[in-house]
Amino acid sequence: MIERTFDVAVPNNICQIGKTTYSPTSQSRRTPNMFDDTIAAIATPLGEGGLAVIRLSGPEALTVADRCFVPAGKHAFRPSAASSHTLHYGRIARKGRAVDEVMLAALRAPRTFTRE
């Protein structure tokens, strides 16, 4: 039996350790709580570029996005109030200060590639 340990990012900046167990004979895989985690992952390849894509996924993804995304404009929506498959312009803020200008794509399950 082969065990692989991996790190998972969660909303409170806490790093949790999860285990996935593989059985070479049955090819079965048990992943406890894998789909209950909220993760943030860089989805852009390494190197220099004009933009970066960060994927936020999981049950608390919109809550995390609400905490750091500040929509631009009077009639703009917070991520949790946005309709699925919509694009929103705004800023990422940390401690009340703008970090960068961003485009946020709101994609709600199950109408996504991963169905999350």
Side-chain angles (χ1 to χ4, degrees):
M1 197 163 317
I2 302 167
E3 287 189 352
R4 183 179 70 134
T5 304
F6 56 94
D7 295 335
V8 179
V10 293
N12 299 339
N13 295 327
I14 300 169
C15 189
Q16 293 180 340
I17 304 296
K19 280 191 176 177
T20 304
T21 306
Y22 297 94
S23 172
T25 54
S26 67
Q27 298 298 321
S28 67
R29 182 171 120 173
R30 294 185 313 261
T31 311
N33 300 324
M34 181 176 142
F35 298 107
D36 295 335
D37 290 337
T38 298
I39 61 167
I42 298 171
T44 316
L46 292 175
E48 294 183 28
L51 68 114
V53 176
I54 300 171
R55 181 174 182 259
L56 191 58
S57 180
E60 298 296 319
L62 294 173
T63 304
V64 173
D66 278 345
R67 283 191 267 165
C68 59
F69 178 77
V70 180
K74 293 182 211 176
H75 304 291
F77 294 104
R78 302 287 302 167
S80 58
S83 299
S84 184
H85 292 74
T86 54
L87 196 58
H88 306 272
Y89 171 72
R91 289 178 167 61
I92 293 293
R94 183 173 182 191
K95 297 180 182 177
R97 299 185 68 205
V99 175
D100 206 350
E101 294 180 43
V102 298
M103 297 295 293
L104 179 132
L107 304 169
R108 296 177 184 269
R111 293 179 43 215
T112 67
F113 181 77
T114 60
R115 300 179 88 50
E116 292 181 47

